[in-house]
Amino acid sequence: MSFQYFGLQKPVFARNGWEIPQPNPLVLEKYQQTEDLVRIQTVALVDEMLGKGKTGLQIRSVSSHLYDCVGMIFANRRAWIDIEYVGQILINDGYQPAAKDDLVVGDVVVYTLGSKRVHVGLVTRVLPKLGKISNTRVLSKWGKHGEVEHRMEDVPYYLGKPCEYWSERAPHDIERLFQSD
Amino acid sequence: MTLSDYFKVIESATFQLQFSVLSGLSVVEFALSQDKTVGDLLALLRRETHHAQDLYRRIRYLLPQLLPENNHSYDESIVAYLYCLNKIDMLIAYRASALIWSSEGLLWSRWLAFKILHLVQQVEQSLDASSVDGESDMFSIADGTELTNTRSLATTSMVTLVSNPDMLGSYAFKFQLQSRRNSETHLVSRVSASY
């Protein structure tokens, strides 16, 4: 469901001028969180993940400002943007699909649960593989919680699995990258 | 599992954490539809419909506990309860939504409450637009102990069907039955008046 824009929030535009829909500000206006609360909850979440054997999670930041994973990547941490628009944003921003093995820092990983897009993260490091396991690191904003850097596959269950890889690099940049290999 | 067992699981920190990481209402609803505990609770509510009132009471009980110093707001628990109510009893879901909408410190619950209230409002407006018989919107009939307004029942049924397209069940039947009763009563009162 997309809510009508009431003009109280600052609009966010894609590169081609398309205005990215935001939740009705009436929905968000009574939700306020303190930095301490976000910190406590993020630590609890990371501890829970560590308990499931997911190591190497690193909390990057916590903020009382309300933004989500899509807002972190596409709106400079200024807005909450429903994940359902991520496909349209990628197209309207001129992103193109990339191969998992060709990811570089700054590329975008989309996570799906079943066939539904549920999360998006930003590639921060591409390290040599650990055997057959990829060692790409991703920066995520986990819902209301803080930003966490983690191994690409290590996300909470309902954030799904990494399934799509996108890059805004021009095709000739990607070709040059392959040639240099 | 009993209803209080479901309350324990759904109000646990583990349950709340797993839903608090999501980034949109559609994803929250999708995740709730995939969750086994929520699915089992829904099955229980469909078997024992009187528990819908208990769920409403539980929401009312949790709402005043939304204090920042509590470190968690029960937002994810409340949205799970509202999601279930919305599937089984639209009238109670509507009442719960109104209650939640006036509360602070909630994100998902207020978002879902907004969706339900917004939907009801849209249906009300469409009924206003389509209504040609002013009398038929407003008259009420005595049905046992309570008065039932035709408009709100029609709204409830339409909203329930719109929001739960898989549920061509109890409400649709209830609405048809109630509409028939209303028409009969209306007819009787008109006939009586004409004499």
Side-chain angles (χ1 to χ4, degrees):
Chain A
M1 179 183 181
S2 62
F3 297 113
Q4 196 185 343
Y5 175 60
F6 281 83
L8 299 172
Q9 288 165 322
K10 299 280 184 292
V12 181
F13 297 97
R15 280 183 175 181
N16 70 353
W18 171 65
E19 186 179 340
I20 300 170
Q22 293 181 60
N24 188 318
L26 294 174
V27 171
L28 306 181
E29 71 177 2
K30 285 193 179 174
Y31 184 74
Q32 285 173 343
Q33 46 184 12
T34 62
E35 236 174 67
D36 281 345
L37 181 62
V38 178
R39 182 173 293 109
I40 289 166
Q41 291 181 334
T42 309
V43 169
L45 183 61
V46 167
D47 284 348
E48 172 116 355
M49 299 273 296
L50 291 173
K52 290 177 182 165
K54 313 230 172 185
T55 55
L57 303 170
Q58 197 172 7
I59 298 174
R60 177 196 171 271
S61 62
V62 290
S63 169
S64 59
H65 189 78
L66 196 60
Y67 64 95
D68 66 343
C69 56
V70 187
M72 180 191 84
I73 298 174
F74 299 101
N76 286 329
R77 303 183 170 91
R78 292 190 192 116
W80 186 290
I81 297 169
D82 199 310
I83 187 71
E84 74 176 288
Y85 298 110
V86 74
Q88 284 167 271
I89 295 170
L90 287 163
I91 299 295
N92 284 292
D93 267 0
Y95 278 73
Q96 299 201 347
K100 184 181 178 183
D101 290 337
D102 303 330
L103 288 174
V104 298
V105 172
D107 287 347
V108 167
V109 182
V110 176
Y111 293 75
T112 59
L113 186 66
S115 58
K116 194 170 178 65
R117 288 171 172 146
V118 289
H119 180 56
V120 62
L122 188 72
V123 175
T124 49
R125 277 185 276 179
V126 183
L127 302 170
K129 280 185 177 179
L130 298 168
K132 286 184 177 176
I133 305 167
S134 83
N135 199 14
T136 303
R137 308 266 312 164
V138 165
L139 182 65
S140 281
K141 172 78 162 62
W142 287 347
K144 310 170 185 174
H145 304 294
E147 292 183 21
V148 179
E149 199 203 29
H150 55 88
R151 218 169 56 83
M152 187 161 66
E153 289 77 8
D154 291 346
V155 292
Y157 175 75
Y158 281 119
L159 294 187
K161 291 180 176 166
C163 254
E164 297 172 22
Y165 310 94
W166 294 78
S167 180
E168 92 298 1
R169 283 171 290 149
H172 57 83
D173 288 341
I174 297 172
E175 277 169 31
R176 201 178 303 140
L177 204 73
F178 290 140
Q179 283 161 9
S180 67
D181 288 344
Chain B
M1 275 171 84
T2 64
L3 192 62
S4 55
D5 293 331
Y6 286 110
F7 288 163
K8 261 184 215 159
V9 176
I10 291 174
E11 288 160 29
S12 68
T14 308
F15 182 93
Q16 292 180 69
L17 277 176
Q18 61 180 344
F19 290 98
S20 62
V21 298
L22 301 172
S23 302
L25 183 62
S26 65
V27 177
V28 170
E29 288 184 286
F30 176 73
L32 288 169
S33 75
Q34 304 286 304
D35 188 81
K36 190 179 178 313
T37 308
V38 174
D40 291 348
L41 173 60
L42 258 177
L44 174 73
L45 291 168
R46 284 187 175 127
R47 275 198 314 274
E48 299 174 36
T49 50
H50 62 279
H51 281 323
Q53 284 289 354
D54 297 329
L55 216 56
Y56 173 76
R57 278 189 212 106
R58 193 67 186 177
I59 291 174
R60 215 169 47 182
Y61 166 77
L62 291 177
L63 282 175
Q65 302 189 32
L66 304 172
L67 300 169
E69 55 267 30
N70 283 356
N71 290 335
H72 64 263
S73 64
Y74 295 106
D75 188 18
E76 290 74 21
S77 316
I78 294 170
V79 78
Y81 296 152
L82 185 59
Y83 170 84
C84 291
L85 283 179
N86 193 31
K87 293 278 177 200
I88 58 145
D89 194 323
M90 189 60 210
L91 263 181
I92 300 179
Y94 181 75
R95 279 171 57 204
S97 297
L99 204 60
I100 291 165
W101 185 245
S102 59
S103 304
E104 299 193 7
L106 299 168
L107 178 64
W108 301 125
S109 320
R110 266 178 65 84
W111 206 327
L112 182 56
F114 178 82
K115 184 180 165 181
I116 292 168
L117 296 172
H118 189 66
L119 203 60
V120 170
Q121 196 184 14
Q122 279 182 329
V123 173
E124 290 273 1
Q125 280 168 357
S126 71
L127 284 175
D128 277 340
S130 63
S131 173
V132 286
D133 181 2
E135 199 181 358
S136 68
D137 321 332
M138 294 308 295
F139 80 90
S140 300
I141 59 156
D143 178 25
T145 53
E146 63 178 357
L147 287 173
T148 309
N149 186 281
T150 318
R151 163 67 67 77
S152 63
L153 191 64
T155 306
T156 305
S157 300
M158 281 180 71
V159 170
T160 304
L161 293 177
V162 169
S163 57
N164 304 298
D166 54 323
M167 190 192 144
L168 286 166
S170 57
Y171 263 109
F173 177 71
K174 199 171 157 186
F175 176 53
Q176 280 173 359
L177 196 69
Q178 195 66 58
S179 300
R180 200 181 309 149
R181 276 194 214 150
N182 286 355
S183 322
E184 284 163 6
T185 313
H186 196 198
L187 188 67
V188 169
S189 61
R190 275 187 171 176
V191 170
S192 311
S194 66
Y195 284 98

